Amino acid sequence: MDDIEPGKKEVLLRSFSRLRGNLNMKLLHLFITASIPVLKLLLITGLGAYLARDSIDILGEDARKHLNTVVFYVFSPALVASYLAETITSKSMVKMWFMPINILITFIIGSILGWIVILVTRAPPHLRGLILGCCAAGNLGNILLIIIPSVCKEKGGPFGAPDVCQTDGMGYVSLSMAIGSIYLWSYVYNIIRIFSRRSTKGSEVREISISMPSKESSTSVLESCIEPLPSSSKDMIAEDNENHQCAVPCSRSVEKPEVVYSIKPVSVTDKVKQKISMMFRKTNLNAILAPSTIAAIVGFAIGLVPEIRKLMIGEGAPLRVIQDSVLLLGDGAIPAMTLIIGGNLVKGLQGRGIRKSLIIGIVVVRYIALPLTGIFIIKGAHQIGLVHSDPLYRFILLLQYVVPPAMNIGVITQLFGAGESECSVIMLWTYALASISLTLWSAVFMWLVA
């Protein structure tokens, strides 16, 4: 710099200062663009929490259940089907093939990190399934349905024209919501089911050993071979009846004739078949085929079959009114889901205590470890050609690593009666901190993909 002439040196300093100012303005603009959707989410969530208070009781527990039923069976399927039908084509399917794999990677890495949290914090057995589920399954539908339209509507955003951005973005989010629902109900559902049964069996064995002080009482206990099953889970009752009638077997001595059994060697193929058939029997297909999943299948069929697409999609389509009606129904999903999230978080304030180390562990996994891992995975996949260069698509793939836990985990814990109040506390803190995490990471992701 000392060898440069004074005039040229002054020009270079001015250019450098102008470049730094432009960079600061760009980062500030990205931060504001990323914060606007989160602020909208916070405002509507706060309204839902206010309406759910006991003194107001407009969005009480019964009202939330009824509204949640409408969202689950009407609004969300309409939203998923309408946007998938409009955006999915054979070309877009080729472009989006990496998204199901990316969501599976988030579940696998989240499960590994969740197990580390369990080992470090020494979590109680009845909460282990809940911790694994919160670390593995993110809110891949509702949160993205709120963030992406708001990001696309911001002027000067990094994703191009608002109309094209919203149409493509909602197609990406609809696919994310459908795939996430399948993974959630097939993986997290069974994880929580398994750990809830283990903790229930352990507690029952301890209760039986304590309540058998005499021979007479032990006879009465052994004669009543009954185990209480969760009343809210019809599927569990059906599948338990197939396998066994109770977890504590009767040990009454009954004289039986001697029977000689011939043991035949079982081949590896037969063992694999038995395992697969057992897995299919225990899998809750009704939960996997949720309304949003069925709507995704319908949307794929409409979008991929040219004859059906010409009938329903497009300005001159004869059945365009059906698509418009379904799209109008789907527009009610976002505000309704956000109000329900706010109302459900009130339960966390009323829930019983949970160890701070468990909450900190889940927050660190979801908002620090997973996003950093996602940056390396998406960057690497883009460099080797697995992910195309659309910045909006890469932005959504990155957001899948930073969203808070899925709200349906609370439904699953209610189903099995394992960690229901603790789940409300976890949801309260993770969604409260999501406003900060989503704003910061969204700005970073926009900067990376822009």
Side-chain angles (χ1 to χ4, degrees):
M1 290 290 289
D2 295 335
D3 298 337
I4 301 176
E5 296 178 4
K8 292 182 178 180
K9 184 177 181 180
E10 186 177 352
V11 171
L12 287 174
L13 289 175
R14 287 179 181 176
S15 301
F16 178 74
S17 61
R18 192 181 299 113
L19 180 63
R20 186 175 61 183
N22 292 336
L23 181 61
N24 291 335
M25 288 294 293
K26 185 176 181 181
L27 290 176
L28 179 62
H29 177 71
L30 287 175
F31 183 79
I32 293 173
T33 303
S35 63
I36 292 298
V38 180
L39 288 176
K40 292 180 181 179
L41 175 65
L42 284 177
L43 288 174
I44 304 177
T45 303
L47 176 62
Y50 175 76
L51 295 176
R53 293 177 58 187
D54 293 334
S55 57
I56 306 298
D57 202 25
I58 295 177
L59 201 62
E61 187 173 355
D62 292 336
R64 289 199 305 272
K65 286 181 180 178
H66 294 313
L67 183 59
N68 192 35
T69 303
V70 175
V71 170
F72 185 71
Y73 286 102
V74 182
F75 289 164
S76 292
L79 187 71
V80 171
S82 60
Y83 277 104
L84 278 179
E86 195 167 351
T87 57
I88 289 295
T89 60
S90 56
K91 291 183 180 179
S92 62
M93 281 297 296
V94 174
K95 290 168 61 178
M96 293 192 294
W97 70 270
F98 186 75
M99 183 176 288
I101 298 175
N102 187 63
I103 297 174
L104 180 61
I105 292 173
T106 64
F107 272 71
I108 294 173
I109 296 176
S111 299
I112 295 172
L113 296 174
W115 191 252
I116 294 174
V117 171
I118 290 173
L119 295 178
V120 172
T121 60
R122 296 179 181 178
H126 73 284
L127 293 181
R128 291 178 181 177
L130 174 62
I131 295 170
L132 286 175
C134 289
C135 292
N139 193 330
L140 300 174
N142 304 3
I143 296 294
L144 297 181
L145 286 174
I146 300 167
I147 292 177
I148 297 304
S150 300
V151 170
C152 290
K153 290 176 183 177
E154 286 299 310
K155 294 182 179 179
F159 304 123
D163 295 339
V164 178
C165 173
Q166 180 158 348
T167 302
D168 294 343
M170 295 306 287
Y172 296 150
V173 173
S174 299
L175 179 62
S176 173
M177 186 177 183
I179 300 299
S181 176
I182 294 173
Y183 288 160
L184 174 74
W185 289 104
S186 58
Y187 174 70
V188 177
Y189 174 88
N190 287 292
I191 287 291
I192 296 179
R193 175 179 64 85
I194 291 169
F195 279 98
S196 65
R197 284 184 178 181
R198 287 180 181 177
S199 60
T200 303
K201 287 180 181 179
S203 62
E204 284 174 356
V205 168
R206 288 194 297 271
E207 289 175 4
I208 289 175
S209 62
I210 292 172
S211 61
M212 294 172 63
S214 62
K215 187 175 180 180
E216 290 80 4
S217 62
S218 64
T219 305
S220 61
V221 169
L222 292 174
E223 288 178 351
S224 60
C225 181
I226 300 173
E227 177 190 2
L229 293 169
S231 59
S232 61
S233 178
K234 296 179 180 178
D235 298 324
M236 286 179 59
I237 295 174
E239 70 185 31
D240 283 346
N241 287 339
E242 293 179 2
N243 298 327
H244 51 270
Q245 294 297 322
C246 62
V248 184
C250 300
S251 58
R252 282 185 302 184
S253 58
V254 181
E255 293 184 0
K256 296 180 180 179
E258 290 187 3
V259 180
V260 179
Y261 296 98
S262 60
I263 301 174
K264 296 181 180 180
V266 181
S267 64
V268 178
T269 307
D270 293 335
K271 288 183 180 179
V272 172
K273 289 180 180 179
Q274 291 175 1
K275 291 288 184 182
I276 294 174
S277 62
M278 186 180 298
M279 182 183 67
F280 275 107
R281 283 201 305 270
K282 291 187 176 183
T283 301
N284 190 352
L285 293 178
N286 290 329
I288 295 175
L289 293 177
S292 296
T293 308
I294 298 173
I297 297 172
V298 174
F300 278 123
I302 296 173
L304 294 175
V305 179
E307 292 78 10
I308 304 177
R309 186 179 182 85
K310 290 178 182 178
L311 286 174
M312 301 185 65
I313 309 298
E315 294 296 333
L319 300 179
R320 173 70 179 176
V321 64
I322 298 177
Q323 168 70 4
D324 292 340
S325 301
V326 175
L327 188 60
L328 184 63
L329 272 176
D331 289 339
I334 296 175
M337 285 187 292
T338 313
L339 289 173
I340 291 171
I341 289 174
N344 287 337
L345 292 183
V346 176
K347 293 170 61 179
L349 296 173
Q350 304 168 351
R352 66 186 181 189
I354 183 175
R355 285 199 317 219
K356 294 180 180 179
S357 59
L358 297 178
I359 298 175
I360 293 172
I362 294 172
V363 168
V364 169
V365 168
R366 290 232 62 97
Y367 297 147
I368 297 177
L370 274 175
L372 291 174
T373 308
I375 291 175
F376 287 106
I377 292 173
I378 302 303
K379 276 284 187 182
H382 180 247
Q383 287 182 355
I384 63 177
L386 296 178
V387 177
H388 59 85
S389 58
D390 181 8
L392 179 61
Y393 180 62
R394 286 186 286 145
F395 178 68
I396 292 175
L397 291 180
L398 288 167
L399 279 181
Q400 290 172 347
Y401 288 89
V402 75
V403 290
M407 293 297 292
N408 279 332
I409 295 175
V411 177
I412 298 174
T413 56
Q414 287 178 349
L415 193 64
F416 296 108
E420 182 179 350
S421 59
E422 291 89 347
C423 181
S424 299
V425 178
I426 292 173
M427 291 297 173
L428 172 67
W429 285 105
T430 52
Y431 275 81
L433 294 173
S435 58
I436 302 172
S437 175
L438 281 172
T439 302
L440 295 176
W441 282 113
S442 296
V444 173
F445 294 160
M446 286 182 186
W447 178 71
L448 288 174
V449 303

